Amino acid sequence: RIPRSILRLSERILILFTLVSLAIPSTSSILSMSSSVFVTLAIILATTSFQWWTPRSRHGSSFYVTAFSASPINVNQSSSSKPKIDTTNDDDKKIKKCRVAIVGAGAVGSYYGGRLWEGSSNNGNGNNGNGEKTDILFHLRGEHYDHCSQHGIDVESYHGDFSIPAEELLAFPTTEDMAQSVVVGDSNNEEEGGNVGGCFDWVVCALKSTSLDEVPKLIEPLVSSETRVLLIMNGLIEDDFIQMMKKQQQFKGLSGVGCKAIYGGMALICSNRLAPGKISHTYGGKLVCGVAYSADANDEDGKWVESDKEAILDLFEMATPVPFEFDPNLRRGRWWKNVWNLPFSGISVSMGGITVDRIVNDPSLRKLAYKVIDETIAVANADLKKHGCTEEEFLGEETRDEMMTLSDNMGPYKPSTMLDLHARKPMEVKYLFRTAVDRADALGVECPHLETLVCHIEAHQRHHNLF
């Protein structure tokens, strides 16, 4: 773009030539020709830098317009029904803005995203514990988006109910819309206008593992080399996900993974979506997260640096009702969650879809659950040993007792796989169940009860075509 000072000079010279031409009709042909040339030049300058003519708000630019593309980025006025978010730095307060995208805001995503929104709204006008102003954006789909965009999100929670009003909810039906909603660049600088299409500091994916192969493309509009990605999803997914991200980079002719870090999240909560916009959170276990990949550590097998840990602790410091824990060994954390998922989600589906209380209160099913727990721990420890973990990092009796105690207190909880079976929706079989059995086979660990359970689940999947 042409600097504003040059445009001012151009305007003044143009006015001078016009006045001279009007005052002296007999001006020489040279002067007339020069005037015509300059008029043409001034029009070109004004056209290619129309930004100069546009009004500015007190804290930033209202529009940035080019000769060939008009792209409104006003955060309060837009021809689109989608909200626009000015995420440029506040020069008056010198506070950096943090942008968090919740991708797949269903039962789990709406809960954790809602807690982050609640914390950012109640803590210093949207500041997190690190002094950053935080915007929480929600990616919702179908009737859930239609309802929430009009009526907001209501959460009945074990840790206290809360609601996000529609007028405060930043909801989007696509990730492209999310990216196009933000303004990046220092729009308070007269020479540098803001641009549409910003990347995010955090992308939190709370999708089912049945959609894992779609995630890299889904989050692509939101991700830059400085974005941290958190996968709050079931199963042993990280190895495949890292390879998917690398392939997407290679397709673009780039190397690496394409983001700052990848985290895995294990949520031991009971959260169901009762209806569009209605979330029921009936049990509040902890959220455990660890690092799968760190660009700063230059490693794809869970090594990390201190800044990776600090970043996620800062993020969830806002969500005070959420019991949060950082696990320095994500592989161990994934197996820890599997010690609950494999027996209780597995038995629930194998029995045609029963609640957790019926499993723990039936003597035969409780005994089977213990058998599957023990086999899962055996496979987990063999996998940890293969990846260089010491015996102090192995899962033990305390994990066995923890998961059974947790289940005893859940009541009639319906695991998500049970809900999918009843609703005849695709079930999370590959990463939640089959991958664990395949890992056991590769490690030479026998797990007959677990393998039988997974065979039953796969039969349900085939019989009802739940792929």
Side-chain angles (χ1 to χ4, degrees):
R1 294 185 297 274
I2 307 302
R4 187 174 182 180
S5 57
I6 294 178
L7 289 172
R8 281 176 173 166
L9 179 61
S10 302
E11 180 202 24
R12 289 167 183 168
I13 295 174
L14 173 62
I15 293 172
L16 178 61
F17 267 80
T18 302
L19 291 175
V20 169
S21 298
L22 292 174
I24 310 175
S26 60
T27 302
S28 69
S29 59
I30 296 177
L31 180 61
S32 299
M33 183 182 299
S34 300
S35 177
S36 299
V37 170
F38 191 81
V39 168
T40 303
L41 176 61
I43 292 172
I44 294 173
L45 291 174
T47 302
T48 56
S49 193
F50 195 63
Q51 178 192 9
W52 176 49
W53 298 97
T54 59
R56 288 181 178 272
S57 64
R58 179 182 176 188
H59 296 294
S61 61
S62 297
F63 292 93
Y64 172 55
V65 185
T66 67
F68 304 105
S69 175
S71 302
I73 57 171
N74 187 316
V75 301
N76 297 315
Q77 299 174 9
S78 170
S79 60
S80 170
S81 61
K82 313 290 189 304
K84 299 284 185 184
I85 303 95
D86 184 351
T87 57
T88 55
N89 292 349
D90 188 328
D91 285 348
D92 294 334
K93 299 180 180 179
K94 300 298 182 184
I95 294 175
K96 178 187 175 185
K97 279 228 177 180
C98 178
R99 304 189 291 279
V100 181
I102 310 297
V103 177
V108 174
S110 292
Y111 176 71
Y112 285 120
R115 288 302 186 190
L116 290 171
W117 172 87
E118 183 182 45
S120 68
S121 298
N122 296 331
N123 186 6
N125 293 322
N127 294 355
N128 64 14
N130 201 31
E132 296 178 327
K133 300 186 73 175
T134 305
D135 287 320
I136 313 295
L137 286 69
F138 293 78
H139 166 242
L140 309 112
R141 296 184 287 193
E143 60 180 0
H144 192 40
Y145 168 78
D146 294 337
H147 176 92
C148 295
S149 61
Q150 296 295 319
H151 306 288
I153 298 176
D154 297 309
V155 180
E156 296 179 358
S157 173
Y158 176 89
H159 288 309
D161 300 349
F162 67 94
S163 297
I164 307 178
E167 60 271 18
E168 297 182 36
L169 177 66
L170 303 176
F172 302 86
T174 71
T175 52
E176 290 82 3
D177 287 334
M178 294 178 91
Q180 289 297 312
S181 72
V182 300
V183 180
V184 294
D186 185 359
S187 58
N188 291 312
N189 188 329
E190 290 185 349
E191 305 297 335
E192 297 294 333
N195 292 301
V196 170
C199 293
F200 287 67
D201 299 275
W202 281 93
V203 173
V204 180
C205 288
L207 296 161
K208 291 184 178 179
S209 62
T210 51
S211 301
L212 185 67
D213 59 347
E214 301 172 13
V215 173
K217 191 66 176 176
L218 184 64
I219 68 175
E220 185 179 16
L222 313 174
V223 174
S224 74
S225 60
E226 295 302 311
T227 303
R228 297 177 185 273
V229 178
L230 169 59
L231 306 173
I232 305 179
M233 301 169 70
N234 284 323
L236 303 171
I237 61 173
E238 280 76 24
D239 291 347
D240 282 5
F241 182 71
I242 290 171
Q243 295 307 311
M244 292 173 189
M245 291 289 283
K246 291 180 70 175
K247 288 181 180 178
Q248 182 164 275
Q249 285 292 96
Q250 292 168 1
F251 182 77
K252 295 186 290 186
L254 302 172
S255 60
V257 177
C259 62
K260 184 74 167 178
I262 297 172
Y263 300 74
M266 291 68 69
L268 272 179
I269 65 170
C270 302
S271 186
N272 297 130
R273 198 186 82 180
L274 304 181
K278 306 294 182 183
I279 308 299
S280 174
H281 172 236
T282 57
Y283 187 83
K286 59 187 175 182
L287 173 64
V288 180
C289 296
V291 179
Y293 162 82
S294 169
D296 291 336
N298 194 26
D299 183 79
E300 298 175 13
D301 194 29
K303 292 184 176 63
W304 48 274
V305 297
E306 191 64 25
S307 59
D308 296 319
K309 176 181 177 180
E310 292 173 356
I312 198 163
L313 290 176
D314 286 342
L315 177 66
F316 281 97
E317 185 179 6
M318 292 185 295
T320 51
V322 176
F324 182 82
E325 182 179 307
F326 178 81
D327 195 322
N329 187 330
L330 176 59
R331 188 175 297 274
R332 183 184 188 277
R334 281 295 183 195
W335 280 112
W336 170 81
K337 176 69 184 293
N338 273 350
V339 175
W340 189 87
N341 267 334
L342 294 177
F344 294 101
S345 292
I347 293 173
S348 172
V349 173
S350 179
M351 290 293 295
I354 63 174
T355 52
V356 171
D357 59 326
R358 293 180 62 186
I359 297 172
V360 296
N361 292 324
D362 182 276
S364 297
L365 295 179
R366 188 180 185 91
K367 182 178 179 180
L368 176 59
Y370 270 124
K371 293 284 188 182
V372 176
I373 287 175
D374 291 340
E375 291 176 1
T376 303
I377 290 176
V379 180
N381 289 340
D383 193 35
L384 293 172
K385 182 178 180 180
K386 178 184 176 182
H387 286 85
C389 297
T390 64
E391 291 189 6
E392 287 74 20
E393 297 177 274
F394 288 0
L395 303 178
E397 288 292 322
E398 73 283 354
T399 305
R400 184 181 196 261
D401 296 337
E402 178 185 11
M403 295 306 174
M404 189 58 76
T405 300
L406 178 72
S407 303
D408 283 333
N409 293 319
M410 278 188 178
Y413 175 62
K414 301 174 181 178
S416 61
T417 45
M418 168 192 165
L419 295 175
D420 290 339
L421 176 64
H422 285 174
R424 299 297 187 257
K425 294 181 178 179
M427 291 196 303
E428 299 180 277
V429 175
K430 178 181 177 181
Y431 290 106
L432 186 54
F433 298 109
R434 173 47 61 184
T435 301
V437 174
D438 290 345
R439 193 74 55 87
D441 289 342
L443 294 166
V445 179
E446 294 186 359
C447 52
H449 297 87
L450 174 59
E451 186 164 9
T452 301
L453 200 60
V454 173
C455 287
H456 285 176
I457 295 167
E458 289 175 331
H460 278 295
Q461 185 184 39
R462 287 191 299 272
H463 181 73
H464 298 293
N465 195 29
L466 306 181
F467 294 94

